């Protein structure tokens, strides 16, 4: 059940990797390098498929659209780009953020792009129209927005001000939950009932979405400074997170015990990569 | 044979076997290029598409053309006689668009217009309301109501019926009279049967009225030309021969009385009689051969009765116009009006009335006590208000005035009248640049017409005539044109304009010429003063100045602050709850949030707030200085949206919040309040240096107005925090010893200088107090010492005057990991706001080849601590860490709370430098340099350090004043007094 074997180790030659993201069906993955490039890989066959040069500075996050036709990416050049997968041409380049853009996400049907930035705002960009202004700016965060998740009707943002905020489009409400420490990563559980949030005090918290109560806490790893992703596996049985000591930790969701550590890592990149790969 | 068959291969189709006995068939000709109609029938080719398509190939219905209908009738099915129509003999194509009888489907005009349709629908509804059809529109559509014009409808409403004439109904009497006349009439031949007429007459009852008969109206064509009555134009066909090219369209010939064609047509029909014109010949007789001019006295007049001579009556002198007769009636004589009778003393010259005398009544209505007294013959008690002012004050005023005049100064206008003397002095001292906006602001509050007019000049000068101002020679002309300070009183305005023009001419006693004779001495004097003032104050700004100022586009009401509509929970509660991991209702805030309409569309979700115009979290404006807001400020909400998020600092507070913490937060508020501008944006404060214009007096004043700490504690004191048990005794003891009060005052005072530095200082205090907390043995004096240190440091920081420096301060509270992470390269560390603001962008990852692992290990520390990227002085700092520092470091280590973790080295850095300062001030220069990590500030630094010395001296004086105020606050103050102070404080803040 738990992945223990290291299948491939790919040297991406992109400098430090900022993010590794699988596409929606898990057959391909994108690596965001600090050398301004995004690379598309077939990780199952250890193949480099394409190299995208769309940013002017380090690329911090990327995501493939639901139909695999586009890639949205963001970086320290404050731009959010939508790139055509086949041709590698930039379809849209959204500017508007006043600072480094930390994270970027498509919504469920890839009609809008959401981006969170160090300018404390989340901006929603329209992919359908040619409009280059954001549809809406969510500027409730008091500090850098570190992570975004989108479900069919919710937007979840984690911010360094210690809050994770959930915008519910159906009910038209925004819930802000205070965790006390900068939130580095947020994600929904697969059933959509809970939120998994990593905070910079070496802990990952499983929060109830409706009441904001903490259901479980996962500790034992190290996460004090860096934006390290955490996630649940596809069956919601385990919590997975990287750590600053170079390991990938597995916790049992219910018992909150460390069940496994992956000690393959030389760098963080692989840590993240592994997490991502297990997310799907 | 069999073999042969096997080997043979047949290719192609074999020819038909020709039987020679058969008659030879003619190869059938293909129909020559026949067009194919819609029904795959060959059709006739016309030039375009016209022509009948009948006949064999273009058959109607069948090969034989149309099938003649035959008469069949049976018992069951009776033959209905039907007339044959041309359509029966036509193909479908003939009805098509290009056929000979195109059928178009058109909406008849009764269905075209929209309101017609509505009418119709209504009519249908009313017609079918109570029938079975009800409201089934399909059926209702079949019923087409008759179209009636509105006139008919109206007439019907009035009781008119079809067949009746219009007009009032009449009684039959006239008829009866007529009938009687008839009866008297002679009858020739056999007479009508008597009964008939009798019947018709007698049957009519007495009081029955009859409608008038319907009469066809006589149609009279309006005359639309200028020709004479009965004139007919020349018929060109009559005048010109037929061979002639007809230039004019022939008028339609209408032949009445005979059947036959109407209008123009070719040729002459068989039924026509006059055919002599058919072959019209051009005959010479048609031409006029003579050149002699007929004497045409009629001038082309074609009126009837031409040529008849009029009998000129006797005595008529003059020529009678032909066609006219003299009338028998005499014209009524023209009425003649006699000229008006002139008065005896009339002079045919106009003299203008003297206008001065005109508005006497006007001024009379507006009498005040003095003028009324004067009219009553009383001697006025005093001439003006100024007479009441003691001599000393007068001198002071004059001095101030002269000073104000010395500067170019537009402002200080009605300050002399309105504001207190000291504020006047203050404003007059300030330069023009600062004074002009000040004046505008004051003008807004004043209600006198002068003041309101006074607010006008600058925008008008800038907008209306900037070009004029540029080349302005005499400001008065433009002023006279632009400013009208006495618009309300036109007479006065006129006088003022005159006065201005006279002044312009250089008339020394201009007012004497202008002054109205009706005015009293006192009024005159007052007005003169007013005019001279106005002339002085309403000078337009010079173009240079004017171009510098512009009207505020938006009204910034500084008293209001935008806040989320919903209340937030107490921030401290939230923090402690988070600390205790009691997540839930305490840590949750819910807001109404309006998603954008398009976002909803993209998410395929119905808009939760349809029709809402706002997006995001709705904000409400609240009074900035309301007490409730302060309570809020102590909660999570920042003062303004984009302000330096002090709350993030608060959040960063790992220590359990104590009373002291709250005191801090209060002091935050005060600073923020007293300088609302500073909170607007961090970035704005980055590039602008805070003007230190506030003089010592101001500081003094603020100090006086500031209430003591106890009040804040009384108001904001929170007793429910879980740590309060341990801390309250301490806090109370502090209060009793009064340092917190002084602390707050000191901080307040400093806050007046630069609010952000104050934050650092309060932070310092907190750290000091924390230390104190752990070493309870420390005496108060020690604390005071600490405080004075912090004061000094505060003053130092003030000298830097860069608000961002203060932001370092929160790093004291931020637990920062010092040790190196194993893997320095890879992910992006989360930059919190504080880090970003501290200017310490930890861009560890550099491009190029990665460091070998060993290198990483060793370089890790410096990587983390910005070792690689750091400017040199940082390194020098590292090296230059003296023994003392280490010692202090160790000491500090003890104080440090576990939870707080390791402070950022920045913190240590700062505290160390402070410590140094404490020990030997000679070392200060060098160390102070370290506190600034930014290279760009190096240049400034020297200057500032010089300044800092001065400042320090100042702070000494401050501290002395501190002592004063300390003693003030030491004395027990009643709550009432405190409240008053509080109020004055808030007032001052507003002003």
């Amino acid at each position: 059940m738990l992945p223990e074997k290291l299948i491939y180790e790919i040297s991406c030659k992109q400098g430090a990797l900022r993010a590794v993201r699988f596409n929606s069906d898990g057959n391909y993955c994108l690596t965001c390098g600090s050398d301004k490039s995004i690379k598309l890989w077939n990780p199952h066959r250890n193949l480099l498929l394409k190299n995208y040069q769309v940013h002017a500075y380090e690329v911090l996050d990327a995501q493939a659209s639901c139909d695999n036709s586009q890639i949205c990416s963001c970086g320290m050049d404050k731009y959010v780009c939508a790139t055509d997968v086949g041709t590698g041409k930039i379809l849209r380049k959204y500017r508007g953020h006043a600072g480094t853009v930390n994270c970027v996400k498509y919504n469920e049907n890839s009609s809008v792009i959401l981006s969170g930035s160090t300018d404390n705002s989340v901006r929603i960009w329209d992919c359908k129209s040619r409009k280059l202004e954001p549809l809406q700016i969510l500027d409730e965060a008091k500090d850098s927005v570190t992570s975004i998740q989108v479900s069919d009707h919710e937007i979840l943002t984690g911010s360094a001000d210690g809050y994770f905020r959930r915008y519910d489009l159906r009910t038209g409400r925004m819930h802000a939950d205070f965790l006390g420490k900068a939130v580095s990563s947020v994600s929904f559980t697969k059933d959509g009932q809970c939120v998994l949030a990593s905070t910079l005090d070496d802990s990952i918290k499983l929060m109830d979405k409706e009441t904001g109560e903490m259901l479980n806490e996962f500790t034992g790893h190290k996460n004090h400074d860096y934006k390290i992703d955490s996630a649940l596996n596809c069956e919601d049985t385990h919590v997975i997170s990287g750590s600053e000591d170079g390991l990938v930790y597995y916790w049992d969701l219910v018992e909150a015990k460390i069940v496994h550590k992956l000690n393959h890592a030389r760098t963080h990149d692989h840590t993240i990569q592994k997490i991502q790969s297990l997310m799907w | 044979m069999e073999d042969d068959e096997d080997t043979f291969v047949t290719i192609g189709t074999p020819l038909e076997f020709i039987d020679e006995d058969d008659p030879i068939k003619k190869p059938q000709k293909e129909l020559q290029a026949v067009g194919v109609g819609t029904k795959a029938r060959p059709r006739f080719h016309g030039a375009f598409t016209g022509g009948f398509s009948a006949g064999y190939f273009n058959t109607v219905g069948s090969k034989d053309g149309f099938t003649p209908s035959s008469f069949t009738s049976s018992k069951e099915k009776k033959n209905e006689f039907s007339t044959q129509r041309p359509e029966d003999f036509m193909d479908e194509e003939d009805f098509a668009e290009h056929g000979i009888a195109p059928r178009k489907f058109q909406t008849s005009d009764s269905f075209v217009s929209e309101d017609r349709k509505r009418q119709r629908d209504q009519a249908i509804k009313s017609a079918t309301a109570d029938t079975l059809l009800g409201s089934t529109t399909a059926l209702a559509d079949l019923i087409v109501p008759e179209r009636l014009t509105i006139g008919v409808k109206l007439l019907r409403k009035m009781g008119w019926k079809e067949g009746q004439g219009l007009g009032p109904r009449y009684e039959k009497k006239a008829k009866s009279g007529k009938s009687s006349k008839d009866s008297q009439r002679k009858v020739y031949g056999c007479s009508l049967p008597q009964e008939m007429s009798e019947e018709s007459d007698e049957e009519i009852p007495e009081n029955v009225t009859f409608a008038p008969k319907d009469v066809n109206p006589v149609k009279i064509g309006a005359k639309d030309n200028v020709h004479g009555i009965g004139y007919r134009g020349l018929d060109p066909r009559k005048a010109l021969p037929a061979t002639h090219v007809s230039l004019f369209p022939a008028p339609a010939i209408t032949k009445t009385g005979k059947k036959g064609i109407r209008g123009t047509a070719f040729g002459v029909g068989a039924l026509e009689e006059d055919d002599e014109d058919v072959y019209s010949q051009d005959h010479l007789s048609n031409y006029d051969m003579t050149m002699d001019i007929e004497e045409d006295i009629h001038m082309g007049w074609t009126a009837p009765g031409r040529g008849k001579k009029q009998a000129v009556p006797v005595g008529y002198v003059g020529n009678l116009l032909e066609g006219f007769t003299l009338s028998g009636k005499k014209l009524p004589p023209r009425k003649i009006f006699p000229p008006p009778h002139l008065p005896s003393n009339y002079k045919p010259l106009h003299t203008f009335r003297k206008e001065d005398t005109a508005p006497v009544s006007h001024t009379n209505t507006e009498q005040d006590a003095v003028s009324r007294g004067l009219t009553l013959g009383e001697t006025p008690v005093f001439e003006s208000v100024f007479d009441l002012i003691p001599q000393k004050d007068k001198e002071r005023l004059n001095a101030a005035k002269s000073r104000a005049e010395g500067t170019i100064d537009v402002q200080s206008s009605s300050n002399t009248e309105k504001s207190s003397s000291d504020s006047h002095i203050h404003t007059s001292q300030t330069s023009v640049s600062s004074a002009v906006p000040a004046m505008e602001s004051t003008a807004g509050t004043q209600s006198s017409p002068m003041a309101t007019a006074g607010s006008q000049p600058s925008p008008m000068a800038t907008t209306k005539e900037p070009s004029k101002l540029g080349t302005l020679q005499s400001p008065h002309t433009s002023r006279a044109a632009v400013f009208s300070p006495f618009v309300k009183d036109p007479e006065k305005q006129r006088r003022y304009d005159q006065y201005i023009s006279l002044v312009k001419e250089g008339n020394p006693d201009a007012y004497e010429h202008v002054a109205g004779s009706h005015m009293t001495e006192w009024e005159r004097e007052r007005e003169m003063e007013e005019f001279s003032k106005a002339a002085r104050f309403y000078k337009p700004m010079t173009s240079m100045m004017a171009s510098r100022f512009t009207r505020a586009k938006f009204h910034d009401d500084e008293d209001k602050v935008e806040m989320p509509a919903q209340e937030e929970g107490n921030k401290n509660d939230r923090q402690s709850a988070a600390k205790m991991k009691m997540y839930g209702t305490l840590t949750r805030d819910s807001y109404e949030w309006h998603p954008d309409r398009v976002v909803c569309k993209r998410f395929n979700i119905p808009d939760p707030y349809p029709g809402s115009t706002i997006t995001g979290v709705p904000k409400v404006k609240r009074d900035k200085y309301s007490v409730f807001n302060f309570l809020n400020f102590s909660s999570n909400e920042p003062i303004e949206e984009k302000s330096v998020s002090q709350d993030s600092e608060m959040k960063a507070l790992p220590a359990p919040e104590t009373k002291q913490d709250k005191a801090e937060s209060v002091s935050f508020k005060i600073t923020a309040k007293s300088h609302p501008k500073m909170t607007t944006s961090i970035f704005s404060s980055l590039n602008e240096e805070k003007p230190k214009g506030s003089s010592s007096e101001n500081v003094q004043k603020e100090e006086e107005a500031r209430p003591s700490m106890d009040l804040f504690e009384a108001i904001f004191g929170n007793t429910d925090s879980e740590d309060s048990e341990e801390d309250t005794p301490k806090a109370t003891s502090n209060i009793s010893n009064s340092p917190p009060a002084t602390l707050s005052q000191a901080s307040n005072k400093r806050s007046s200088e630069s609010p952000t530095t104050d934050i650092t200082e309060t932070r310092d205090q907190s750290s000091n107090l924390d230390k104190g907390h752990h070493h309870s043995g420390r005496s108060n004096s020690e604390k005071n010492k600490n405080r004075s240190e912090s004061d000094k440091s505060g003053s130092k920081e003030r000298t830097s005057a860069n608000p961002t420096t203060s932001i370092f301060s929160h790093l004291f509270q931020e637990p920062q990991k010092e040790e190196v992470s194993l893997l320095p390269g890879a992910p992006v560390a989360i930059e919190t706001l504080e880090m970003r603001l501290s200017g310490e962008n930890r861009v560890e990852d550099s491009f190029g080849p990665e460091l070998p692992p060993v290198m990483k290990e060793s370089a890790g520390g410096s990587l983390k601590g910005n070792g690689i990227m750091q400017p040199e002085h940082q390194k020098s700092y590292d090296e230059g860490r003296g023994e003392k520092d280490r010692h202090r470091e160790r000491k500090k280590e003890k104080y440090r709370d576990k939870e707080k973790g390791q402070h950022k080295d920045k913190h240590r850095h700062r505290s160390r430098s402070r410590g140094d300062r404490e020990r030997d001030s000679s070392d200060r220069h060098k160390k102070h340099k370290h506190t600034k990590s930014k290279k760009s500030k190096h240049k400034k630094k020297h200057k500032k350090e010089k300044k800092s010395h001065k400042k320090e001296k100042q702070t000494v004086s401050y501290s002395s004043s501190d002592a004063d105020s300390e003693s003030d606050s030491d004395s027990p103050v009643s709550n009432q007094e405190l409240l008053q102070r509080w109020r004055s404080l808030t007032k001052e803040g507003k002003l």
Side-chain angles (χ1 to χ4, degrees), chain B residues 594-638:
Chain B
H594 294 246
D596 189 77
R597 197 176 47 82
V598 186
V599 172
C600 285
K601 210 193 270 174
R602 294 279 180 270
F603 274 79
N604 206 10
I605 281 167
D607 198 338
Y609 302 100
S612 138
T613 50
I614 45 167
T615 56
V617 177
K619 304 265 178 97
V620 288
K621 288 230 164 184
R622 279 194 205 152
D623 196 4
K624 200 191 255 177
Y625 305 118
S626 97
V627 178
F628 301 104
N629 276 2
F630 282 108
L631 290 169
N632 262 344
F633 284 0
S634 69
S635 78
N636 199 20
E637 212 40 50

Side-chain angles (χ1 to χ4, degrees), chain A residues 145-165:
Chain A
V145 178
T146 55
S147 170
I148 296 179
Q149 288 291 332
V150 192
S151 74
D152 57 342
H153 68 285
E154 287 163 310
I155 301 166
L156 184 69
T157 66
S159 167
D161 62 3
Y163 279 88
F164 70 88
R165 294 177 173 79

Side-chain angles (χ1 to χ4, degrees), chain B residues 453-562:
Chain B
S455 64
Q456 285 171 5
S458 60
M460 287 180 96
T462 48
T463 56
K464 274 196 181 169
E465 18 175 66
S467 57
K468 209 175 174 184
L469 279 173
T471 57
L472 210 63
Q473 294 303 319
S474 57
H476 295 295
T477 50
S478 80
R479 185 204 308 126
V482 175
F483 316 123
S484 37
F486 310 107
V487 202
K488 282 186 183 169
D489 190 347
E491 187 57 29
K492 199 171 178 184
Q493 179 62 42
R494 191 189 59 78
R495 278 203 301 275
Y496 177 70
D497 288 348
Q498 262 179 38
Y499 169 78
I500 290 293
S501 58
L502 283 171
V503 164
K504 199 182 82 187
E505 282 162 26
N507 203 324
D509 43 0
Y511 187 72
E512 299 308 313
H513 298 268
V514 183
S517 55
H518 62 284
M519 292 163 87
T520 60
E521 190 61 32
W522 185 82
E523 271 178 351
R524 226 178 265 187
E525 202 173 300
R526 205 181 50 169
E527 204 178 63
M528 191 170 84
E529 203 159 351
E530 241 173 52
F531 280 8
S532 62
K533 246 185 229 163
R536 212 163 359 107
F537 295 145
Y538 297 117
K539 258 181 233 164
M541 280 187 278
T542 55
S543 60
M544 262 276 275
M545 286 292 287
S547 64
R548 295 214 174 189
F549 297 100
T550 181
R551 234 305 113 107
K553 277 185 187 138
F554 306 104
H555 176 66
D556 49 346
D557 44 354
E558 296 194 332
D559 297 351
K560 298 272 176 148
V561 162
E562 278 205 336

Side-chain angles (χ1 to χ4, degrees), chain B residues 354-407:
Chain B
K354 272 190 181 174
E355 281 162 32
D356 281 352
T357 54
V360 174
S361 59
H362 177 73
T363 48
N364 275 352
T365 53
E366 291 175 282
Q367 277 188 330
D368 58 358
V370 183
S371 62
R372 215 176 290 124
L374 281 167
T375 50
L376 290 173
E378 293 168 11
T379 48
V381 186
F382 50 85
E383 292 278 276
S384 83
V385 191
F386 293 101
D387 291 3
L388 294 174
I389 300 170
Q391 191 59 35
K392 222 173 104 187
D393 286 350
K394 257 187 197 169
E395 275 168 19
R396 234 161 46 124
L397 263 176
N398 284 335
K401 210 193 260 173
S402 61
R403 230 178 305 163
E405 280 163 2
T407 59

Side-chain angles (χ1 to χ4, degrees), chain B residues 957-968:
Chain B
S957 65
Y958 286 160
S959 58
S960 67
S961 64
D962 269 4
D964 293 351
S965 55
E966 217 169 297
S967 62
D968 279 357

Side-chain angles (χ1 to χ4, degrees), chain A residues 111-175:
Chain A
S111 56
V112 295
I113 296 172
L114 294 99
S115 59
S117 160
T118 49
D119 67 359
N120 307 358
S121 75
V122 173
R123 278 162 206 255
I124 305 176
W125 311 92
D126 195 0
C127 300
K128 298 248 165 163
S129 67
R130 309 284 306 173
K131 207 173 139 195
L132 288 175
E133 277 75 51
L135 292 176
Q136 192 171 6
I137 301 171
L138 316 177
D139 53 358
E140 281 75 36
K142 311 287 191 308
D143 204 340
S144 166
V145 178
T146 55
S147 170
I148 296 179
Q149 288 291 332
V150 192
S151 74
D152 57 342
H153 68 285
E154 287 163 310
I155 301 166
L156 184 69
T157 66
S159 167
D161 62 3
Y163 279 88
F164 70 88
R165 294 177 173 79
R166 188 166 59 85
Y167 301 86
D168 195 326
L169 276 86
R170 267 186 202 155
T171 58
R173 291 198 74 76
M174 189 269 277
H175 306 281

